Amino acid sequence: MAFRGPKVWLWRWRRNALKRRADEVEAWVVLGAWALTFLVGVLAGLGVARTAEHGMARERVEWRPVMAHLTEQAPGTVAASPGRASSERVWAKVRWTVPDGSEHTGQARVDPGSSFGTPVTVWTDPEGRLVTKPATAAQARLRAAMTGALIGFGAGAVPFVGGRVLRGRLERRRMEQWDAEWARFGPLWGRTTG
C-alpha cells in the first residue's frame, strides 16, 4: 500500500505549479456535482412532499363516510369473546346510496360472521366509489415526509452518479496523458550527462 501523506483539504483549489488544467476541471466537476446533488435532492423532496400532503388534505375534504349494508352473510364466525380485536376483518359485499340517490355495490372489510343487512361505515369519493379511510393530518405529514425523503434521495442520486461518471472519465483521460508523457520522457531519465 502506497503512503499518501496527510490529507490536504481543498488541494485542487490551491495554487500549485504542478496542478494541471484537468485538476481544475475535476475540481469544478466535483463542486458542481455536489451542489446539483443537494439542490435537486432538496427541491424534488420538498416538491413531492408538498404535493403528497396537499393531495391527502384534499382527500380528507372530499371523501365522506357513508352507511352501507351487507348484502350477504360475511365469511367466518363471530368470536365468542366480546373483546375481540377489530383488526380481524374479512371482505364482504355491501350496498350504499350516494347523495344523488343511486345505489352502488362493492367489497368492504367487515367483522367475520356479520349477518345480512348489518350496517357498515365505508368511505366514498365524490363520484360514490369506494375508497380507503383518508389519512389524518399527522399521518399525511409523516407519509409526505417519507415520500419526499425517498424521492429526494433518488433525484439527488442522478447528478451524483453523473458527476462520478464524468470524474472517472476525466481520471482515465489524465492517466492516458501521463502515460503518453512518461513514454516520451521516461527513456531520458536513464541517460547521464557529462
Side-chain angles (χ1 to χ4, degrees):
M1 183 170 129
F3 177 72
R4 296 184 134 220
K7 180 134 178 111
V8 178
W9 290 97
L10 303 172
W11 67 270
R12 287 185 176 95
W13 299 99
R14 294 180 183 206
R15 199 175 289 270
N16 184 342
L18 298 176
K19 183 170 65 173
R20 299 176 181 209
R21 174 86 174 128
D23 295 325
E24 291 179 25
V25 170
E26 184 178 355
W28 284 106
V29 165
V30 169
L31 179 65
W34 277 108
L36 276 175
T37 297
F38 179 77
L39 187 66
V40 168
V42 168
L43 291 178
L46 289 175
V48 167
R50 183 173 293 124
T51 301
E53 194 166 355
H54 286 315
M56 287 184 266
R58 190 179 66 245
E59 289 172 357
R60 281 193 304 276
V61 171
E62 294 177 354
W63 293 359
R64 298 280 178 236
V66 175
M67 188 57 64
H69 297 280
L70 284 171
T71 61
E72 62 186 10
Q73 174 76 28
T77 59
V78 179
S81 65
R84 183 178 46 85
S86 63
S87 63
E88 300 173 23
R89 316 256 305 164
V90 295
W91 289 100
K93 191 172 183 180
V94 295
R95 177 178 291 124
W96 67 97
T97 305
V98 294
D100 69 6
S102 61
E103 286 193 351
H104 293 267
T105 59
Q107 296 281 327
R109 303 280 293 194
V110 299
D111 292 329
S114 297
S115 61
F116 173 84
T118 302
V120 178
T121 301
V122 295
W123 287 82
T124 61
D125 64 7
E127 287 79 35
R129 295 181 300 236
L130 282 179
V131 292
T132 59
K133 183 178 179 180
T136 65
Q139 291 170 335
R141 277 191 300 276
L142 178 63
R143 288 179 191 173
M146 290 172 50
T147 303
L150 182 63
I151 296 299
F153 280 120
V158 173
F160 178 76
V161 170
R164 296 291 292 181
V165 168
L166 185 55
R167 186 175 176 207
R169 287 184 180 177
L170 289 171
E171 181 75 21
R172 279 194 301 277
R173 184 173 174 217
R174 187 170 52 238
M175 290 297 123
E176 289 168 0
Q177 288 174 343
W178 285 354
D179 286 344
E181 289 176 14
W182 183 254
R184 194 170 84 193
F185 291 110
L188 299 177
W189 284 67
R191 294 185 186 171
T192 57
T193 59

